[in-house]
């Protein structure tokens, strides 16, 4: 039998204060995780992400997609996306995340990193469209990558490695007081897909 790295205590808070982050380890074995990776790579409508910074439009190598139970609009980095309808695989993974976290989610932002050169800078997911202090469930597939938190005031850092098929949940005041990032690395040559299940609270659609 394959051993999971599920020796993690999912009730343990990784953050010392001002928020809650729980790591569940691998909730899928490698075969299951690899199957979902392939399905997501083929079935998701990936597009290069766009951001407007100081009036200049930046197009990233990293690709993204936005899905939800309704055509939610979600604005970040001064750009707005409209949610696509759930796919079969996303509904399965949403149910899995909800079962583990005992939370509910109505949308999902997906990121495709082609290799370690692509990452995410320090940021927090505190957009006005999101439920305040709501849970964000992060499912990872593919290459293992380091993930880091940094407190906005004290600058204290917490780091962990997100494995293939693993689940991380951020909730409570985490987005108010902590930044997080996916640092780039030359050591990783394989792709990674990350799903962050969220709750849109403004219910705006068009």
């Amino acid at each position: 039998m394959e051993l999971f790295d599920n020796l993690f205590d999912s009730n343990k808070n990784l953050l010392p204060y001002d928020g809650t982050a729980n790591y569940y380890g691998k909730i899928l074995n490698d075969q299951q995780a690899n199957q979902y990776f392939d399905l997501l790579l083929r079935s998701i409508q990936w597009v290069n992400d766009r951001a407007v910074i100081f009036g200049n439009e930046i197009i990233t190598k990293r690709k993204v997609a936005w899905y939800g139970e309704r055509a939610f609009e979600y604005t970040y980095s001064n750009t707005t996306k409209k949610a696509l309808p759930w796919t079969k695989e996303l509904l399965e993974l949403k149910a899995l995340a909800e079962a583990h976290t005992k939370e509910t989610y109505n949308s999902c932002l997906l990121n495709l990193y082609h290799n370690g050169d692509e990452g995410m800078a320090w940021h927090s997911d505190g957009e006005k469209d999101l439920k305040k202090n709501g849970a964000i469930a992060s499912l990872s597939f593919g290459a293992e990558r380091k993930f880091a938190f940094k407190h906005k005031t004290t600058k204290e850092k917490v780091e962990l490695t997100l494995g293939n098929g693993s689940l991380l949940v951020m909730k409570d005041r985490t987005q108010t007081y902590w930044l997080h990032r996916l640092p780039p690395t030359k050591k990783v040559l394989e792709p990674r897909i990350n799903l962050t299940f969220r709750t849109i609270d403004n219910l705006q659609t068009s």
Side-chain angles (χ1 to χ4, degrees):
M1 291 182 63
E2 182 176 6
L3 295 178
F4 298 7
D5 64 347
N6 242 348
L7 301 176
F8 298 93
D9 180 1
S10 60
N11 293 315
K12 180 181 178 181
N13 187 2
L14 300 178
L15 303 178
Y17 43 79
D18 290 344
T20 305
N22 305 113
Y23 186 54
Y24 292 72
K26 293 186 177 183
I27 63 171
L28 295 165
N29 64 37
D30 281 341
Q31 181 180 2
Q32 293 169 323
N34 291 339
Q35 287 175 345
Y36 272 115
F37 178 93
D38 292 338
L39 287 168
L40 293 168
L41 192 63
R42 295 196 308 265
S43 65
I44 295 300
Q45 296 185 39
W46 299 105
V47 296
N48 294 95
D49 201 11
R50 297 172 180 268
V52 178
I53 302 175
F54 299 117
N56 297 316
E57 185 179 55
I58 306 298
I59 300 177
T60 67
K61 293 181 180 178
R62 169 178 53 88
K63 291 187 175 182
V64 300
W66 174 236
Y67 285 76
E69 66 182 29
R70 295 168 56 184
F72 295 119
E73 290 188 349
Y74 181 37
T75 300
Y76 67 92
S77 300
N78 296 312
T79 62
T80 299
K81 295 175 173 57
K82 183 182 293 186
L84 298 170
W86 290 122
T87 67
K88 174 179 176 289
E89 291 77 26
L90 288 178
L91 284 174
E92 292 172 354
L93 293 170
K94 182 173 85 78
L96 187 65
E98 290 176 338
H100 278 82
T101 65
K102 304 300 188 286
E103 303 276 356
T104 59
Y105 310 98
N106 62 17
S107 52
C108 182
L109 182 66
L110 299 90
N111 287 278
L112 169 59
Y113 305 89
H114 298 89
N115 53 51
D117 288 337
E118 299 172 17
M120 187 78 77
W122 290 115
H123 70 286
S124 58
D125 298 320
E127 292 82 9
K128 62 180 178 60
D129 298 326
L130 296 176
K131 178 181 178 181
K132 186 172 179 60
N133 298 329
I136 297 177
S138 173
L139 270 172
S140 297
F141 298 97
E144 288 191 348
R145 294 286 296 269
K146 180 181 290 185
F147 187 83
F149 292 96
K150 182 172 70 172
H151 195 274
K152 294 180 181 180
T153 303
T154 68
K155 310 305 179 185
E156 182 171 350
K157 292 182 181 179
V158 176
E159 296 184 342
L160 69 155
T161 299
L162 301 178
N164 182 27
S166 68
L167 173 65
L168 170 71
V169 177
M170 303 175 284
K171 58 184 180 180
D172 302 330
R173 301 183 297 171
T174 301
Q175 306 305 325
T176 300
Y177 291 100
W178 291 83
L179 302 169
H180 56 270
R181 74 163 180 162
L182 187 79
T185 172
K186 295 292 185 182
K187 297 180 180 179
V188 175
L189 303 178
E190 297 78 24
R192 171 180 182 261
I193 291 175
N194 175 243
L195 284 64
T196 48
F197 289 99
R198 305 153 182 252
T199 301
I200 291 292
D201 206 27
N202 66 13
L203 302 182
Q204 292 180 11
T205 61
S206 61

